Amino acid sequence: MTEPVNPEPTPEQAALFSRVRRMMLIAGLTTALALAAVLIAIGYRLFRMEGSGPITEVTARLPTGARITATAVAGDRLVVTLDIAGSVQIRTFDLHTLRPAGTLKFASEP
C-alpha cells in the first residue's frame, strides 16, 4: 500500500553514492592535512621566537657636548652616529643584548 521511506537504490545510484563518499573522504583528509600543517607552522613560530628574551635596560654614557645625529639598524646591530665637538664618531651595539660592539672615529687629516 505505501512505499518504503528509503527505497533501495538502483545500481547506478549506488555507484554514484560510492563515488560521492570517496570524493568526500578525499576532501576531508586534504582539509585535515592542511589544518595540521597550519597548526604545526603556528606552533613552530610561537616556540621558536628569538626576540622574546628579557627586557634589558642600558644607559650609554656620551662624552660631554656630544650630540646624536643619526641612528639606524643594520642587521643585528644598532648604529648610533655622534657629533663630538665637530668630529664624527659611529658606535655600534648588539641589537639583542645592547652591549657595545665597536666604535669608529673619523678625524680630519692635518
Side-chain angles (χ1 to χ4, degrees):
M1 281 204 173
T2 61
E3 293 184 18
V5 177
N6 291 329
E8 289 295 319
T10 64
E12 295 87 22
Q13 290 175 337
L16 179 65
F17 291 159
S18 174
R19 280 184 30 209
V20 168
R21 281 190 192 111
R22 189 175 11 183
M23 288 191 297
M24 287 176 58
L25 181 65
I26 291 171
L29 291 175
T30 304
T31 303
L33 181 66
L35 185 61
V38 168
L39 291 176
I40 288 171
I42 290 172
Y44 176 78
R45 294 285 293 201
L46 284 176
F47 291 110
R48 189 81 167 107
M49 294 179 90
E50 292 184 13
S52 61
I55 297 174
T56 57
E57 192 171 317
V58 175
T59 302
R61 303 230 181 247
L62 298 178
T64 306
R67 281 183 340 131
I68 297 176
T69 57
T71 59
V73 175
D76 286 341
R77 300 280 189 239
L78 172 66
V79 181
V80 180
T81 305
L82 302 172
D83 180 14
I84 304 172
S87 67
V88 177
Q89 188 180 85
I90 296 176
R91 294 185 182 184
T92 57
F93 300 89
D94 182 60
L95 194 58
H96 300 292
T97 62
L98 295 179
R99 290 188 180 138
T103 301
L104 177 62
K105 297 177 183 179
F106 293 97
S108 301
E109 288 186 19

